[in-house]
Amino acid sequence: FCVTAVFTGLYIGNCGWAISWAITFGTCFYHFAMRLLVGHTVDGVMKNHADCRKPWYQLRSFETHLYKALRVKKWKGNMPTYDPACFDPKLHSWDEIAQAMCQAEIVHEVIVVFSFIPLLFAIPFGSFGVFAITSLLAACYDLSFVIIQRFNRPRIIKLIAKERAAK
């Protein structure tokens, strides 16, 4: 934010070249801040309590084939996790983990949508292509986390069913 403010100040002070840097750093700041804000807001509302049986969280018929084609199993382990403790079976039951997975999915779905808000800045500043490419890349990045949650959740649901059957 501070770097954005500096370059914006330089631009206002008749340094025309500074606008590109102000837009670049402003867009980066937006994407980082928006992700944190969405995550904390959804966490404050849901508190990792979601009903995994709701239709929204159920796999669609095409998803299993899609995830196999995308080879999710091979790359999902290389993706970062914001708070690994939320998914640790030593700290939480499988049911709690499944609920956290549902919440993480919602967070990333909202972020995917919000990733396209910078397109509105193409109206006053131009360079629609730059805003479109950065928005699309940001959305795809978060879509990968949605895919991971949806790929893993059926396995967790099976573990929950086995646990309940054993009781």
Side-chain angles (χ1 to χ4, degrees):
F1 175 78
C2 293
V3 176
T4 302
V6 167
F7 281 112
T8 301
L10 288 171
Y11 172 70
I12 292 169
N14 291 325
C15 290
W17 57 268
I19 190 65
S20 295
W21 290 105
I23 291 170
T24 301
F25 284 105
T27 304
C28 289
F29 171 73
Y30 167 77
H31 282 288
F32 283 111
M34 175 268 294
R35 280 167 174 71
L36 291 173
L37 185 63
V38 168
H40 288 294
T41 302
V42 172
D43 187 47
V45 171
M46 294 183 75
K47 296 178 179 29
N48 281 343
H49 296 295
D51 185 354
C52 299
R53 296 168 295 179
K54 287 191 174 181
W56 184 263
Y57 301 116
Q58 303 307 307
L59 284 184
R60 309 306 185 271
S61 58
F62 70 90
E63 286 183 270
T64 305
H65 301 294
L66 175 64
Y67 300 154
K68 197 173 276 189
L70 292 173
R71 300 177 184 202
V72 175
K73 195 172 188 174
K74 289 189 181 232
W75 55 262
K76 68 181 180 103
N78 297 323
M79 297 298 284
T81 303
Y82 178 72
D83 187 0
C86 289
F87 307 103
D88 187 346
K90 294 174 186 156
L91 302 174
H92 301 285
S93 70
W94 290 115
D95 191 49
E96 290 171 330
I97 291 171
Q99 291 178 53
M101 293 172 80
C102 291
Q103 178 174 308
E105 178 185 330
I106 293 294
V107 166
H108 289 288
E109 288 167 344
V110 171
I111 290 172
V112 166
V113 173
F114 283 12
S115 291
F116 292 97
I117 289 177
L119 290 175
L120 298 174
F121 291 101
I123 296 167
F125 296 113
S127 301
F128 179 80
V130 174
F131 285 107
I133 289 169
T134 57
S135 292
L136 185 62
L137 290 174
C140 286
Y141 180 71
D142 278 283
L143 190 57
S144 67
F145 292 105
V146 172
I147 289 169
I148 290 169
Q149 299 306 327
R150 294 186 67 79
F151 176 84
N152 285 334
R153 196 167 39 249
R155 289 147 185 79
I156 302 301
I157 300 295
K158 284 181 186 175
L159 286 171
I160 293 168
K162 283 182 183 179
E163 244 181 26
R164 289 184 180 153
K167 289 182 181 181

Coordinates of all heavy atoms in Angstrom, one line a residue, residues 93-129:
S93 N -11.1 -33.6 14.7 CA -11.8 -34.8 14.2 C -12.0 -34.7 12.7 O -11.8 -33.6 12.1 CB -13.2 -35.0 14.8 OG -14.1 -33.9 14.3
W94 N -12.2 -35.8 12.0 CA -12.4 -35.8 10.5 C -13.6 -34.9 10.2 O -13.6 -34.3 9.2 CB -12.6 -37.2 10.0 CG -11.3 -38.0 10.0 CD1 -11.0 -39.1 10.7 CD2 -10.1 -37.6 9.3 NE1 -9.7 -39.5 10.5 CE2 -9.1 -38.6 9.7 CE3 -9.7 -36.6 8.4 CZ2 -7.8 -38.6 9.2 CZ3 -8.4 -36.6 7.9 CH2 -7.5 -37.6 8.3
D95 N -14.6 -34.9 11.0 CA -15.8 -34.1 10.8 C -15.5 -32.6 10.8 O -15.9 -31.8 10.0 CB -16.9 -34.4 11.8 CG -18.2 -33.8 11.4 OD1 -18.7 -34.0 10.3 OD2 -18.9 -33.2 12.3
E96 N -14.7 -32.2 11.8 CA -14.2 -30.8 11.9 C -13.4 -30.4 10.7 O -13.5 -29.3 10.1 CB -13.4 -30.6 13.2 CG -14.2 -30.7 14.4 CD -13.4 -30.7 15.7 OE1 -12.2 -31.2 15.7 OE2 -13.9 -30.2 16.7
I97 N -12.5 -31.4 10.2 CA -11.7 -31.1 9.1 C -12.6 -30.9 7.8 O -12.3 -30.0 7.0 CB -10.6 -32.2 8.9 CG1 -9.6 -32.2 10.0 CG2 -10.0 -32.2 7.5 CD1 -8.7 -33.3 10.1
A98 N -13.6 -31.8 7.7 CA -14.5 -31.7 6.5 C -15.2 -30.3 6.5 O -15.4 -29.7 5.5 CB -15.5 -32.8 6.5
Q99 N -15.6 -29.8 7.7 CA -16.2 -28.5 7.8 C -15.3 -27.4 7.4 O -15.6 -26.5 6.7 CB -16.8 -28.3 9.2 CG -17.9 -29.2 9.5 CD -18.4 -29.0 11.0 OE1 -18.7 -27.9 11.4 NE2 -18.5 -30.1 11.7
A100 N -14.0 -27.5 7.9 CA -13.0 -26.5 7.5 C -12.7 -26.6 6.0 O -12.5 -25.5 5.4 CB -11.7 -26.8 8.3
M101 N -12.8 -27.7 5.4 CA -12.6 -27.8 4.0 C -13.7 -27.1 3.2 O -13.5 -26.5 2.2 CB -12.6 -29.3 3.6 CG -11.3 -30.0 4.1 SD -11.4 -31.8 3.8 CE -10.9 -31.8 2.0
C102 N -14.9 -27.3 3.7 CA -16.1 -26.6 3.1 C -15.9 -25.1 3.2 O -16.1 -24.3 2.2 CB -17.4 -27.0 3.8 SG -17.9 -28.7 3.4
Q103 N -15.5 -24.6 4.4 CA -15.2 -23.2 4.5 C -14.1 -22.7 3.6 O -14.2 -21.7 3.0 CB -14.9 -22.9 6.0 CG -14.6 -21.4 6.2 CD -14.4 -21.1 7.7 OE1 -15.2 -21.4 8.5 NE2 -13.3 -20.4 8.0
A104 N -13.0 -23.5 3.5 CA -11.9 -23.1 2.6 C -12.4 -23.0 1.2 O -12.0 -22.1 0.4 CB -10.8 -24.1 2.8
E105 N -13.3 -23.9 0.8 CA -13.8 -23.9 -0.6 C -14.6 -22.6 -0.8 O -14.4 -21.9 -1.8 CB -14.7 -25.1 -0.8 CG -15.4 -25.1 -2.2 CD -16.3 -26.2 -2.4 OE1 -16.2 -27.3 -1.8 OE2 -17.3 -26.0 -3.1
I106 N -15.4 -22.2 0.2 CA -16.2 -21.0 0.0 C -15.3 -19.8 -0.1 O -15.5 -18.9 -0.9 CB -17.2 -20.8 1.2 CG1 -18.3 -21.9 1.2 CG2 -17.8 -19.4 1.2 CD1 -19.2 -21.8 0.0
V107 N -14.3 -19.7 0.8 CA -13.3 -18.6 0.8 C -12.7 -18.5 -0.6 O -12.7 -17.4 -1.2 CB -12.2 -18.8 1.8 CG1 -11.0 -17.8 1.6 CG2 -12.7 -18.6 3.2
H108 N -12.2 -19.5 -1.2 CA -11.6 -19.5 -2.5 C -12.5 -19.2 -3.6 O -12.2 -18.5 -4.6 CB -10.7 -20.7 -2.7 CG -9.5 -20.8 -1.9 ND1 -8.4 -20.0 -2.0 CD2 -9.2 -21.5 -0.8 CE1 -7.5 -20.2 -1.1 NE2 -8.0 -21.2 -0.3
E109 N -13.8 -19.7 -3.5 CA -14.8 -19.4 -4.5 C -15.1 -17.9 -4.5 O -15.2 -17.3 -5.6 CB -16.0 -20.2 -4.3 CG -15.9 -21.6 -4.6 CD -17.0 -22.5 -4.1 OE1 -17.8 -22.1 -3.3 OE2 -17.1 -23.7 -4.6
V110 N -15.2 -17.3 -3.4 CA -15.4 -15.8 -3.3 C -14.3 -15.1 -3.8 O -14.4 -14.1 -4.6 CB -15.7 -15.4 -1.8 CG1 -15.8 -13.9 -1.7 CG2 -17.1 -16.0 -1.3
I111 N -13.1 -15.5 -3.5 CA -11.9 -14.9 -4.0 C -11.8 -14.9 -5.6 O -11.4 -14.0 -6.2 CB -10.6 -15.5 -3.4 CG1 -10.5 -15.1 -1.9 CG2 -9.3 -15.0 -4.1 CD1 -9.4 -15.8 -1.1
V112 N -12.2 -16.1 -6.1 CA -12.2 -16.2 -7.6 C -13.1 -15.1 -8.2 O -12.7 -14.4 -9.1 CB -12.7 -17.6 -8.0 CG1 -13.1 -17.6 -9.5 CG2 -11.7 -18.7 -7.7
V113 N -14.2 -14.9 -7.6 CA -15.1 -13.8 -8.1 C -14.5 -12.5 -7.9 O -14.5 -11.6 -8.9 CB -16.5 -13.9 -7.5 CG1 -17.4 -12.7 -7.9 CG2 -17.2 -15.2 -7.8
F114 N -14.0 -12.2 -6.7 CA -13.4 -10.9 -6.4 C -12.1 -10.6 -7.2 O -11.7 -9.5 -7.3 CB -13.1 -10.8 -4.9 CG -14.4 -10.5 -4.1 CD1 -15.6 -10.6 -4.6 CD2 -14.2 -10.1 -2.8 CE1 -16.8 -10.3 -3.9 CE2 -15.3 -9.8 -2.0 CZ -16.6 -10.0 -2.6
S115 N -11.5 -11.7 -7.8 CA -10.3 -11.5 -8.6 C -10.5 -10.7 -9.8 O -9.6 -10.1 -10.4 CB -9.7 -12.8 -8.9 OG -9.2 -13.5 -7.8
F116 N -11.8 -10.6 -10.2 CA -12.1 -9.8 -11.5 C -12.5 -8.4 -11.2 O -12.7 -7.6 -12.2 CB -13.2 -10.6 -12.2 CG -12.7 -11.9 -12.8 CD1 -13.0 -13.1 -12.1 CD2 -11.9 -11.9 -13.9 CE1 -12.5 -14.3 -12.6 CE2 -11.4 -13.1 -14.4 CZ -11.7 -14.3 -13.8
I117 N -12.6 -7.9 -10.0 CA -12.9 -6.5 -9.7 C -11.9 -5.6 -10.3 O -12.3 -4.5 -10.8 CB -13.1 -6.3 -8.1 CG1 -14.4 -7.0 -7.7 CG2 -13.1 -4.9 -7.8 CD1 -14.7 -7.0 -6.2
P118 N -10.6 -5.9 -10.3 CA -9.6 -5.0 -10.9 C -9.9 -4.7 -12.4 O -9.4 -3.6 -12.9 CB -8.3 -5.7 -10.8 CG -8.4 -6.5 -9.5 CD -9.9 -7.0 -9.6
L119 N -10.7 -5.5 -13.0 CA -11.1 -5.1 -14.4 C -11.8 -3.8 -14.5 O -11.7 -3.1 -15.5 CB -12.0 -6.2 -15.0 CG -11.4 -7.6 -15.3 CD1 -12.4 -8.6 -15.7 CD2 -10.3 -7.4 -16.3
L120 N -12.4 -3.4 -13.4 CA -13.1 -2.1 -13.4 C -12.1 -0.9 -13.5 O -12.4 0.2 -14.0 CB -13.9 -1.9 -12.1 CG -15.1 -2.9 -11.9 CD1 -15.7 -2.7 -10.5 CD2 -16.1 -2.7 -13.0
F121 N -10.9 -1.2 -13.1 CA -9.8 -0.1 -13.2 C -9.3 0.1 -14.6 O -8.7 1.1 -14.9 CB -8.7 -0.4 -12.2 CG -9.0 -0.3 -10.8 CD1 -9.3 -1.4 -10.0 CD2 -9.1 1.0 -10.2 CE1 -9.7 -1.3 -8.7 CE2 -9.5 1.1 -8.9 CZ -9.8 0.0 -8.1
A122 N -9.7 -0.9 -15.5 CA -9.3 -0.7 -16.9 C -10.1 0.5 -17.5 O -9.7 1.0 -18.5 CB -9.6 -2.0 -17.7
I123 N -11.3 0.8 -16.9 CA -12.1 1.9 -17.5 C -11.3 3.2 -17.3 O -11.1 3.9 -18.4 CB -13.5 1.9 -16.8 CG1 -14.2 0.6 -17.1 CG2 -14.3 3.2 -17.2 CD1 -15.5 0.4 -16.2
P124 N -10.9 3.6 -16.2 CA -10.2 4.9 -16.1 C -8.7 4.8 -16.6 O -8.2 5.8 -17.1 CB -10.2 5.3 -14.6 CG -10.3 4.0 -13.9 CD -11.1 3.1 -14.8
F125 N -8.1 3.7 -16.4 CA -6.6 3.6 -16.7 C -6.3 3.0 -18.1 O -5.2 3.0 -18.5 CB -5.9 2.8 -15.6 CG -6.0 3.5 -14.3 CD1 -6.6 2.9 -13.2 CD2 -5.3 4.7 -14.1 CE1 -6.7 3.6 -12.0 CE2 -5.4 5.4 -12.9 CZ -6.1 4.8 -11.8
G126 N -7.2 2.3 -18.7 CA -6.9 1.6 -19.9 C -6.2 0.3 -19.6 O -6.3 -0.3 -18.5
S127 N -5.5 -0.3 -20.6 CA -4.7 -1.5 -20.4 C -5.6 -2.7 -20.0 O -5.3 -3.4 -19.1 CB -3.6 -1.3 -19.5 OG -2.7 -0.3 -19.9
F128 N -6.8 -2.8 -20.6 CA -7.7 -3.9 -20.3 C -7.0 -5.2 -20.3 O -7.2 -6.1 -19.4 CB -8.9 -3.9 -21.2 CG -9.9 -5.0 -20.9 CD1 -10.8 -4.9 -19.8 CD2 -9.9 -6.2 -21.6 CE1 -11.7 -5.9 -19.5 CE2 -10.7 -7.2 -21.3 CZ -11.6 -7.1 -20.3
G129 N -6.1 -5.5 -21.2 CA -5.5 -6.8 -21.4 C -4.6 -7.1 -20.1 O -4.7 -8.2 -19.7

